[in-house]
Amino acid sequence: MEPVIAKSVYNTLFRLSHPLVEHLNNNLVNAHVVKDDILPKNIVSVNSVVEYVSEPYNRPVRIKIVLPEHEDLARRNVSVLAPICRALLGFKESDELVVKMPSGKKKIKILKVYN
C-alpha cells in the first residue's frame, strides 16, 4: 500500500523549511503523485479532517492536518510534520496501517476523511 498525494501538496511539502521535514520527505519518497483534480476525496491530505482509531485505545480521534504555521493543538489542528500526520498522509478511509511512532509501533485504522 503506497500513499497517494496531490501534486500541489507534494510540491508544498517539499518546499517546507523545518528541521522535521526530512522525516516527512522520507515518507513521501514512495508516494504516488497525482494531479490535484483526480485525487480521490477519501484520501488524507493537508487540510483534511481525519477520524481514526489506534490500538490500544480504540476510541475515535478527530484531527485536522495542517501546515506547521497553522498548528493549534487546542483546536486539534495538527502539523503535517507530527508523527501521526506523517503516518496518515496519503492513505484512505478504511486503510489499516502499522506505523512506527515515538512510543512504539501502533495499529491505526482510518475511519473517515473529510475534505
Side-chain angles (χ1 to χ4, degrees):
M1 194 168 35
E2 69 180 19
V4 178
I5 305 286
K7 181 74 171 166
S8 65
V9 171
Y10 183 85
N11 290 339
T12 298
L13 297 177
F14 266 101
R15 284 192 298 259
L16 287 178
S17 177
H18 193 282
L20 294 174
V21 161
E22 182 180 331
H23 298 289
L24 179 62
N25 291 347
N26 290 340
N27 290 18
L28 295 177
V29 167
N30 297 321
H32 179 70
V33 180
V34 299
K35 292 180 182 179
D36 291 23
D37 60 342
I38 64 169
L39 184 73
K41 296 292 184 199
N42 65 344
I43 298 284
V44 177
S45 188
V46 173
N47 293 320
S48 293
V49 174
V50 184
E51 189 171 309
Y52 67 92
V53 294
S54 66
E55 292 180 348
Y57 307 109
N58 290 325
R59 63 179 184 260
V61 175
R62 186 180 289 192
I63 61 171
K64 181 175 183 179
I65 299 176
V66 297
L67 293 174
E69 61 268 22
H70 299 295
E71 184 171 60
D72 182 347
L73 297 179
R75 293 187 169 170
R76 296 189 172 265
N77 292 342
V78 182
S79 170
V80 68
L81 299 175
I84 187 63
C85 296
R86 293 193 321 253
L88 295 170
L89 193 66
F91 292 99
K92 67 182 183 324
E93 286 177 14
S94 79
D95 279 352
E96 293 186 21
L97 315 164
V98 175
V99 297
K100 185 177 176 183
M101 304 293 283
S103 59
K105 287 187 179 182
K106 292 192 178 208
K107 185 176 177 184
I108 297 173
K109 180 173 183 177
I110 301 172
L111 302 174
K112 186 75 178 158
V113 178
Y114 305 90
N115 282 313

